[in-house]
Amino acid sequence: MTTTSFWEQDLFYKPYDLIIIGAGITGCSAALEISAKHPDWNILMVERNFYPSGASSRNAGFACFGSISELLDDLEHTDEAVVKELVRKRYEGLLLLRDTVPAEEMDFEMCGGHELFTDKEHFNTCADAVTRFNDWMKDIAGVSDAYSTSKVNGYPVIFNKYEGYLHSGKLMQWLHTQVRNAGIEIRWGAKVKSVKTGNVTLDNDIHLNAHRILLATNGFTGGIMDEVPIVPARGYVFVTNELEEMPWKGTWHYDKGYIYFRNIGNRLLLGGARNVDKSKEETTEDKINPMIKAHLVQFVMNTLKLKGNWAIEHEWTGIMGFGPGKTPMIKEIETDVWVGAGLSGMGVALGMQFGKDIANKI
Ligand SMILES: Cc1cc2nc3c(=O)[nH]c(=O)nc-3n(C[C@H](O)[C@H](O)[C@H](O)COP(=O)(O)OP(=O)(O)OC[C@H]3O[C@@H](n4cnc5c(N)ncnc54)[C@H](O)[C@@H]3O)c2cc1C
C-alpha cells in the first residue's frame, strides 16, 4: 500500500487501546474479559485467515481434564502439587465454560471419558491409582467417584464420568458473536508480520498503533517474536464416514493420552500419535505426516476393529503450543507487549479461565 486517504487515516489508523492478535479461544476469552473490565477501551482483534485457523477450530472437541495414565506419566517428571493444580484448573475451567456457553450452542454432551488399555500390566498400574485420583477429585471438586474401572468391547477401561465433548467450530462461532456484540472490531485476513512496543505491522506493511498488544497466537507465536519460548506441536486428526454401527461412544484416550478418539454421531474421529515422530511434529507446517497416519489407521484396524467398510472422509492438522512444563504462559515480553499462549492439548478446558487470568494482568 502506498497512499492512505484522509478518511482511512482518521478511521483505521487511530491508536487502539489494545490490539489482540489471534481469534482463537485465548484471544476471544481475553477480549471479552478485558472489554468487560475496561468498557471504554477501543479494542481490535486481528486474525491472519478468513476464519480462525489455529488449534481452536481444529481440535477434537474433548472437554476433559486428565486420563490416569497421562497423569501418572506427568508425575514422573513434575511435582505432585503442580500436576494436581493443573487438574484443578482444567476441572474448574470446564465448569466455567459450561456456565458461560449454553450447552446447545456448542453441542456439549456429558458423555463421559474413557481410557482404553491393551496391556494388562499397564491397566493394573493405572487401576491401582484410581483411589488416589478419586481422592484428588474429592479435594478439588467434592466428588468421590470420578474414576471407575470397567470393561468395554472386551478391553479393560477406566471411566471418568465428569468429562464430555462438544462441537469446536460452534464454540468458536458463539465466542466470535460475543466478541462482536461487545463492540470489539475483528479484522479477518490480517496476518501480523512483526510487533514492537506500540506498533503492529501486517504482512502487507500496514502499520497499526496500540497502547497495548496481546499475542494470542499460540504455536505460531515464534513466527512473530522468536524469543518467546512456545514450541509448536502439530496434531493430526481424521473423521470417518458414517458407520452402520458405532461401538465406541463418548471420548476415549489411549497410550498416555497420545491417541484420542470419539464418536460424532456414527462417525469416528481419531487423532494424535505425534509421539511416533515427535521431533518432526514440532512445526507449524500444515502437512500430514504419513508415518503418523499409518500408525492411526493400524490402530483402527488392529485395536478398535471397526466393522464394515470404513473410510477416512476428512483429515486435517492443527498446531498446539507448548510452554515449559504444561502450564500456560502469560508474559510481558516487551513494554506493553504481552503473550498469552501454551494451552497445550487442553485449551477447551483451560481457555476461558486463561482469558480471565490475562485480563487480570494486562
Ligand atoms: C489436533 C488438535 C486436537 C486438539 N484436541 C483438543 C481437545 O480435544 N480438547 C482440548 O481441550 N484441547 C485440544 N487441543 C488443544 C486446543 O485446541 C488448544 O489448546 C487451544 O485451541 C489453543 O487456543 P489458542 O486460542 O491459544 O490458540 P489458537 O486456537 O491456535 O489461536 C491462535 C490464532 O492466532 C492466529 N494467528 C497465528 N499467527 C498469526 C499472525 N501472524 N497474524 C494473525 N493471526 C495469527 C491463528 O490463525 C489462530 O486463529 C487440540 C489441538 C489440536 C491441534
Side-chain angles (χ1 to χ4, degrees):
M1 185 160 300
T2 47
T3 64
T4 312
S5 78
F6 174 83
W7 324 112
E8 287 165 346
Q9 191 69 41
D10 193 34
L11 276 183
F12 304 121
Y13 290 86
K14 63 197 168 196
Y16 289 91
D17 292 298
L18 170 68
I19 293 181
I20 297 175
I21 307 166
I25 195 165
T26 298
C28 292
S29 304
L32 290 171
E33 289 297 329
I34 294 169
S35 93
K37 267 183 92 173
H38 305 282
D40 53 324
W41 278 15
N42 191 6
I43 303 175
L44 171 71
M45 178 179 282
V46 291
E47 165 60 46
R48 65 182 173 151
N49 215 336
F50 178 63
Y51 50 81
S53 42
S56 299
S57 49
R58 299 187 148 236
N59 63 43
F62 283 42
C64 57
F65 52 88
S67 60
I68 286 191
S69 72
E70 185 179 351
L71 295 175
L72 286 176
D73 191 48
D74 288 344
L75 285 168
E76 285 195 6
H77 41 80
T78 312
D79 282 351
E80 169 152 347
V82 175
V83 179
K84 192 170 170 183
E85 185 53 25
L86 258 182
V87 173
R88 177 194 302 281
K89 282 199 157 151
R90 293 168 187 164
Y91 179 80
E92 290 176 354
L94 284 178
L95 292 184
L96 175 67
L97 176 76
R98 292 176 56 211
D99 274 352
T100 311
V101 187
E104 65 277 12
E105 295 285 350
M106 54 177 177
D107 292 354
F108 177 84
E109 265 182 60
M110 192 61 128
C111 54
H114 311 73
E115 179 162 18
L116 174 73
F117 295 87
T118 48
D119 180 287
K120 208 165 173 218
E121 214 173 295
H122 189 210
F123 170 71
N124 288 339
T125 307
C126 293
D128 286 347
V130 161
T131 310
R132 177 183 185 186
F133 291 110
N134 275 340
D135 286 345
W136 279 25
M137 289 308 294
K138 208 181 285 173
D139 285 353
I140 290 170
V143 297
S144 54
D145 52 354
Y147 297 96
S148 56
T149 57
S150 68
K151 223 169 193 194
V152 178
N153 297 328
Y155 291 108
V157 159
I158 296 180
F159 181 64
N160 176 348
K161 66 181 188 183
Y162 295 106
E163 294 189 335
Y165 57 29
L166 50 79
H167 186 309
S168 312
K170 286 191 178 174
L171 168 60
M172 290 316 300
Q173 193 176 40
W174 186 88
L175 280 170
H176 292 142
T177 304
Q178 306 313 305
V179 168
R180 279 195 304 273
N181 290 348
I184 296 162
E185 233 178 290
I186 313 183
R187 299 263 165 212
W188 302 100
K191 185 171 182 199
V192 171
K193 185 161 73 177
S194 64
V195 164
K196 63 179 200 284
T197 299
N199 195 265
V200 170
T201 302
L202 303 184
D203 238 14
N204 53 4
D205 282 335
I206 285 181
H207 297 283
L208 302 169
N209 301 311
H211 300 307
R212 301 157 200 86
I213 297 161
L214 168 65
L215 282 95
T217 41
N218 196 31
F220 302 92
T221 308
I224 303 173
M225 296 187 100
D226 58 10
E227 64 270 41
V228 181
I230 296 290
V231 179
R234 184 168 61 190
Y236 168 67
V237 175
F238 69 67
V239 173
T240 68
N241 52 334
E242 286 271 359
L243 304 166
E244 273 178 27
E245 222 181 288
M246 170 40 74
W248 302 100
K249 300 264 191 204
T251 65
W252 292 82
H253 285 103
Y254 178 73
D255 188 15
K256 300 174 197 151
Y258 277 113
I259 291 183
Y260 45 86
F261 53 101
R262 58 171 277 190
N263 71 301
I264 306 177
N266 262 14
R267 296 174 193 271
L268 178 80
L269 176 153
L270 176 75
R274 80 190 154 82
N275 54 330
V276 168
D277 203 3
K278 209 166 183 176
S279 60
K280 272 214 187 117
E281 295 307 289
E282 287 186 0
T283 173
T284 56
E285 198 183 358
D286 183 7
K287 202 171 161 196
I288 292 165
N289 181 327
M291 198 197 289
I292 288 177
K293 180 173 175 176
H295 185 81
L296 291 175
V297 167
Q298 285 300 313
F299 178 74
V300 174
M301 294 197 298
N302 300 337
T303 306
L304 301 188
K305 298 181 178 145
L306 286 188
K307 290 200 186 107
N309 288 332
W310 70 272
I312 296 174
E313 278 198 354
H314 305 264
E315 57 183 341
W316 65 89
T317 68
I319 309 300
M320 289 169 275
F322 282 81
K326 283 189 177 173
T327 309
M329 181 181 101
I330 306 172
K331 197 167 176 193
E332 190 173 17
I333 224 85
E334 250 181 60
T335 308
D336 292 321
V337 177
W338 291 80
V339 171
L343 290 180
S344 64
M346 287 282 179
V348 172
L350 294 171
M352 227 161 232
Q353 181 58 48
F354 193 45
K356 280 185 188 290
D357 297 343
I358 292 172
N360 287 334
K361 292 226 172 172
I362 285 191

